[in-house]
Amino acid sequence: MTGKGLQGGAFLLCAAANLYILMVTLSSHAALPARAFLLLINPMNKSILITGGGRGIGAACAMLAAEQGYRVCINYLSDDAAAAAVVDAIAGRGGEAFALKADVSDEEQVERLFRAVDERFGRLDALVNNAGVLSQQMRVEQMSAARIHRIMATNVVGSILCAREAVRRMSTRHGGAGGGIVNVSSRAGVLGAAGEYVDYAASKAAMDALTVGLSKEVAGEGIRVNGVRPGLIETEMHASGGEPGRVARLAASVPMGRGGQASEVAQAVLWLLSDAASYTTGSFIEVSGGR
């Protein structure tokens, strides 16, 4: 047989072997849920939903997730231009992303958000609960009920609603293939933010309780739930509290002597979602420079 004949025979043999493997896989996993089977035959086809993904930490997570091969859904509340810029940046680097406006404190909008992910990606592998709000710095006796309700609705209710929808899709109990959830909390939840944002700090402490409780609830269903507690990070969020220069003012209180970057938080988030953290659940990473 000539060299070309040998090469052709090898090619046919390889093709036949691949076809056989596919047939065995199909027969072995006939009862496998659709989302789980899709992951089996294409493990690099993962998708992620990031709430509050248009700016700051959320945008940094979206960019890094796309670099790691995730298809990305960017949820945002109001800044159309910022969300579109993140989508364009991901597309410009060869990634796949889309943005969807939704208020995570509204149950109907959350359900619509997750249905959009279903329609676009077919499944959900990771959720980053990052959407959060705060208000002007003040003491507790100055706070109105409306302010407190607004913060709790987004930071706590929104996170629980999104986690609920993620579990419904990821849990092996519901036919899912498993997945990961990372709740972006804050060091404020530990330190208390006295004289500034005690209500915000309380909402982040509630997120920490969600992380611990949910991690135990779904650990046997293929879902890992962890948290990241950023410290003083250079984002636009500080302006919402009335002090854009807050990080610079407090940098001396950080043992590392500086504020952090959103990209540094994103690294922790994506590590927790990776296979490198396969035995990690109910845990927290402090991204705070030691503060």
Side-chain angles (χ1 to χ4, degrees):
M1 184 179 291
T2 66
K4 289 185 178 179
L6 287 171
Q7 290 177 355
F11 174 80
L12 290 174
L13 181 62
C14 182
N18 286 336
L19 179 61
Y20 174 75
I21 292 171
L22 178 60
M23 291 174 65
V24 171
T25 300
L26 286 169
S27 62
S28 300
H29 298 279
L32 199 65
R35 289 193 295 272
F37 184 68
L38 183 60
L39 179 60
L40 178 70
I41 62 175
N42 190 359
M44 298 306 292
N45 199 32
K46 290 185 177 182
S47 62
I48 186 170
L49 168 60
I50 301 170
T51 67
R55 298 185 300 172
I57 292 171
C61 288
M63 293 299 299
L64 184 58
E67 288 177 13
Q68 295 184 4
Y70 280 95
R71 297 173 298 163
V72 184
C73 175
I74 296 163
N75 157 253
Y76 68 102
L77 178 62
S78 59
D79 195 334
D80 298 332
V86 177
V87 171
D88 289 345
I90 289 173
R93 298 181 183 182
E96 180 181 354
F98 77 103
L100 186 65
K101 180 185 291 188
D103 181 349
V104 298
S105 70
D106 183 300
E107 184 174 21
E108 184 176 341
Q109 292 187 49
V110 169
E111 291 173 345
R112 177 172 59 84
L113 169 64
F114 278 80
R115 285 196 300 269
V117 173
D118 294 339
E119 293 168 3
R120 182 69 176 262
F121 295 150
R123 73 168 199 265
L124 179 67
D125 301 286
L127 167 68
V128 179
N129 260 328
N130 173 70
V133 296
L134 53 72
S135 293
Q136 292 287 312
Q137 296 173 352
M138 63 178 63
R139 288 168 55 93
V140 169
E141 70 263 30
Q142 299 172 295
M143 295 177 183
S144 68
R147 167 195 166 115
I148 297 168
H149 279 301
R150 172 178 170 267
I151 289 171
M152 295 297 171
T154 297
N155 300 2
V156 183
V157 176
S159 295
I160 296 174
L161 289 175
C162 289
R164 181 193 74 185
E165 293 302 310
V167 168
R168 288 176 175 176
R169 288 158 174 79
M170 296 176 184
S171 172
T172 55
R173 183 179 183 180
H174 299 295
I181 297 173
V182 174
N183 294 321
V184 179
S185 179
S186 171
R187 281 294 292 166
V190 177
L191 301 175
E196 294 185 322
Y197 324 107
V198 170
D199 49 356
Y200 173 79
S203 75
K204 292 302 185 177
M207 282 190 73
D208 290 350
L210 168 65
T211 299
V212 173
L214 184 60
S215 70
K216 295 176 180 178
E217 194 167 288
V218 298
E221 300 168 20
I223 304 174
R224 296 182 300 104
V225 185
N226 292 288
V228 170
R229 296 191 187 111
L232 294 169
I233 307 298
E234 297 278 6
T235 71
E236 298 175 12
M237 193 172 195
H238 299 284
S240 300
E243 189 183 358
R246 182 170 178 266
V247 174
R249 175 174 65 84
L250 295 174
S253 69
V254 179
M256 289 185 68
R258 65 174 178 88
Q261 299 299 315
S263 59
E264 294 175 297
V265 181
Q267 290 287 346
V269 170
L270 269 296
W271 182 81
L272 286 170
L273 292 173
S274 74
D275 291 340
S278 59
Y279 196 54
T280 303
T281 196
S283 298
F284 299 88
I285 296 180
E286 317 283 348
V287 188
S288 62
R291 183 174 185 267

